[in-house]
Amino acid sequence: MRRPPVPPPPPTPPNPPFDAHTARRLRTALGMGPEHVAYGMRVSYGLPYITPDHVIAWERGTMAPSSTELVALAGVLWCEPCELKGRPATLREHRAARGLTAEEVARAVGLELLVYVRMEESGEWRGTERQSALLAEALQLSLADFMTLTGLDGKLAGLLRGAVTTRWQAYVRPVSKMVPLNRRLLEGVLQELHRYYQTQLAATATWSDGSAATEASHTGRDFLDRIVEHFWRRVDTGIPHTNTNTR
């Protein structure tokens, strides 16, 4: 008995990718609390339903503002909307960025539509190596994006944290197995990440001033939490950064 064709999902456009870290940083720099941002969006931009809980959820990454909300948020934070847009991070966001339908991507990678849609909904790519290569081609993925979508970011983050907190030389080979980069570039990037963390962050944890030590500890944790982002930023430039702003 033939199965009926699977209907395509409804054409509901996803929210634009949102840079939660930048939104939080800009709000803090302006000395505003979530309640101030919510008030500004309600009064100045006619969005009466916005509450501080919305702002907090956006900054935590548990929700993303709609296009209209993004424009209003940017206005309150005195920035351009593009400054609050992050890079596509999910299958659905990458597909939308390329203007493709779920059916087109499913066909390109050789998956049944329903199977592909379930992967989009779960946010977990489970294709074969061949299908992963076809996905990278169809969505024009960078190496960084490909690793994120295929679930390798967590493992890479663990290796990079080990490299900056212990001996970076011991992690050149394991990282190179995951990331096919020029060895000299990879060594330079790992060495610079290690140098920056050890001289600028790890050392400050021993400061005697309590508030300074707390701030330094927070900065160090933030750096380690975003270690994959710092890694790709240096790889993209082709040269190690000597001055790093972790905020």
Side-chain angles (χ1 to χ4, degrees):
M1 180 177 179
R2 295 181 59 186
R3 289 181 296 177
V6 179
T12 54
N15 290 339
F18 180 64
D19 191 337
H21 179 81
T22 295
R24 182 172 62 252
R25 176 177 58 79
L26 291 174
R27 176 180 61 76
T28 302
L30 291 170
M32 303 171 69
E35 65 278 8
H36 302 126
V37 175
Y39 178 81
M41 294 178 68
R42 291 196 303 268
V43 174
S44 301
Y45 292 90
L47 300 176
Y49 59 89
I50 296 297
T51 68
D53 288 338
H54 286 88
V55 179
I56 293 171
W58 294 336
E59 292 184 357
R60 289 178 177 172
T62 57
M63 291 175 55
S66 67
S67 297
T68 300
E69 293 164 348
L70 184 71
V71 171
L73 179 62
V76 173
L77 296 178
W78 291 83
C79 69
E80 294 295 328
C82 62
E83 295 181 58
L84 297 177
K85 291 182 179 179
R87 295 171 59 181
T90 66
L91 273 174
R92 184 169 298 172
E93 289 173 357
H94 278 285
R95 174 174 62 76
R98 297 299 173 193
L100 298 172
T101 66
E103 187 173 8
E104 288 172 328
V105 176
R107 187 185 309 117
V109 301
L111 285 171
E112 292 185 8
L113 177 58
L114 183 59
V115 173
Y116 173 77
V117 169
R118 284 175 177 167
M119 290 185 188
E120 273 201 358
E121 292 174 346
S122 68
E124 182 180 355
W125 171 253
R126 299 185 300 277
T128 65
E129 184 175 342
R130 171 61 176 165
Q131 289 168 336
S132 297
L134 292 172
L135 180 74
E137 181 179 349
L139 299 182
Q140 301 177 40
L141 300 175
S142 67
L143 180 56
D145 291 332
F146 176 77
M147 294 193 67
T148 298
L149 288 183
T150 52
L152 294 174
D153 264 4
K155 183 177 179 181
L156 178 61
L159 291 175
L160 294 176
R161 291 189 190 105
V164 302
T165 57
T166 58
R167 293 181 65 255
W168 65 268
Q169 296 92 335
Y171 289 85
V172 173
R173 185 178 179 84
V175 174
S176 67
K177 288 183 177 180
M178 292 188 65
V179 185
L181 295 173
N182 175 277
R183 187 179 180 89
R184 187 166 185 174
L185 170 62
L186 178 59
E187 289 177 347
V189 169
L190 292 182
Q191 184 178 13
E192 170 57 19
L193 287 170
H194 179 272
R195 184 205 63 78
Y196 178 79
Y197 180 79
Q198 293 296 328
T199 60
Q200 301 297 320
L201 300 178
T204 57
T206 61
W207 290 352
S208 58
D209 183 274
S211 61
T214 300
E215 177 64 19
S217 177
H218 173 77
T219 303
R221 287 197 302 270
D222 182 70
F223 180 83
L224 292 177
D225 287 344
R226 301 173 59 206
I227 189 67
V228 173
E229 177 184 338
H230 292 300
F231 174 78
W232 288 118
R233 187 180 302 162
R234 287 165 173 78
V235 169
D236 288 343
T237 63
I239 56 174
H241 291 192
T242 55
N243 295 310
T244 303
N245 182 359
T246 62
R247 298 302 186 88

